[in-house]
Amino acid sequence: MYSTPFSPREARAARARMGLTTSQVAQSMAACGVPVHPDLIAAWEQGSHLPSETHLFALADVLWCPATALMGIEPRTLAEHRLARQLSVERLADRIGMDPAAYRAAEAAHRWDGDIRQTRALVEALGLSLRRLVSIMGRDEELAGLLRTAIEGRWKAYVTPVAEIVVVDETSVGDALRTMHTEFAGFAERYMGHLMARNDDSRLKEVAAERSAFLHRLVDHFWELIGEVGDEPPPRGF
């Protein structure tokens, strides 16, 4: 059963910074259309109860702090990134053009199957990058494995599997894989060239080191070729 992340200590601190009593916070939340009893606010701060998403959003507004401050964590899951942006499932689903039930199922399963348009809308709404979304879904290692196999063999066979993970059009993925395959093959050509020319071992070690560095940055290089941008921090205040 999913529960809203919440830090009683941060909630108490945020209220103290505003110089408000629990009654004043309750009054302000009611003015926002979210009525709540002061005793419930006290229970949140004591850790005996957890606020709902609606309560969390309203409390963040009243205390003039980002939802992440009250959550007390850095967002790690799709649901937590949504909460950080103070978006309900229904509101986010409407924004990305997806049925709310389907989106809720994606959060619960920790697996994203949206199309390219929905995915672009999702990362924009949550201030993420496609790369970060892949990481949130726990598919980093799978992507790295496919990239390694693709550049070492027949890269065309891996265009579709990679595109399904990163949710980028197959033309862009194919261009990136072809470039990486060509670059990787260059190391073998240079190595054999030095070997046939009977150059000293330092030349061979140099090529081997460059090849190792290339493989180490394989995923980074892929996203660079795709032209992926970084994440955006959640807005501070709404």
Side-chain angles (χ1 to χ4, degrees):
M1 181 68 178
Y2 176 79
S3 60
T4 305
F6 188 73
S7 170
R9 181 176 63 83
E10 294 297 337
R12 292 194 301 271
R15 181 170 63 81
R17 285 194 297 269
M18 294 296 294
L20 299 174
T21 65
T22 55
S23 294
Q24 289 171 325
V25 171
Q27 291 171 2
S28 296
M29 289 182 67
C32 293
V34 185
V36 62
H37 195 280
D39 289 347
L40 183 55
I41 296 173
W44 295 340
E45 294 185 358
Q46 293 164 6
S48 59
H49 287 74
L50 288 174
S52 66
E53 291 185 4
T54 301
H55 286 147
L56 175 69
F57 299 160
L59 186 61
D61 287 342
V62 168
L63 297 180
W64 284 72
C65 66
T68 48
L70 298 180
M71 291 162 63
I73 59 170
E74 286 298 320
R76 300 154 300 180
T77 66
L78 199 57
E80 288 169 0
H81 278 281
R82 174 177 58 78
L83 293 175
R85 292 278 164 165
Q86 295 188 211
L87 293 168
S88 66
V89 166
E90 291 73 21
R91 185 178 172 192
L92 179 56
D94 179 68
R95 185 177 295 188
I96 66 178
M98 178 178 281
D99 178 73
Y103 176 79
R104 193 182 298 277
E107 282 194 358
H110 300 290
R111 185 172 184 87
W112 178 249
D113 294 314
D115 59 28
I116 291 179
R117 181 186 60 79
Q118 292 169 332
T119 301
R120 287 293 180 180
L122 177 70
V123 296
E124 180 179 355
L126 298 183
L128 299 173
S129 63
L130 284 175
R131 180 172 187 174
R132 178 58 180 154
L133 180 62
V134 170
S135 180
I136 290 170
M137 295 296 101
R139 307 191 75 179
D140 284 336
E141 291 187 8
E142 182 182 0
L143 174 61
L146 286 174
L147 293 178
R148 176 70 180 258
T149 306
I151 66 168
E152 292 178 340
R154 298 178 181 275
W155 63 269
K156 291 183 180 180
Y158 295 90
V159 172
T160 297
V162 170
E164 289 177 349
I165 292 177
V166 301
V167 200
V168 173
D169 66 273
E170 293 193 3
T171 298
S172 297
V173 171
D175 290 343
L177 293 186
R178 181 176 62 249
T179 297
M180 295 168 71
H181 183 272
T182 300
E183 292 171 340
F184 188 69
F187 293 115
E189 293 173 1
R190 288 173 56 199
Y191 190 89
M192 290 304 298
H194 288 309
L195 194 63
M196 295 298 292
R198 299 190 178 185
N199 291 327
D200 56 63
D201 288 347
S202 63
R203 295 288 183 88
L204 299 178
K205 290 179 179 178
E206 179 181 318
V207 176
E210 291 178 7
R211 177 182 182 275
S212 178
F214 181 84
L215 291 173
H216 182 71
R217 292 196 69 255
L218 202 58
V219 175
D220 292 334
H221 189 35
F222 171 77
W223 287 114
E224 289 167 356
L225 292 173
I226 291 296
E228 183 54 40
V229 298
D231 298 356
E232 299 175 7
R236 300 185 68 84
F238 296 84

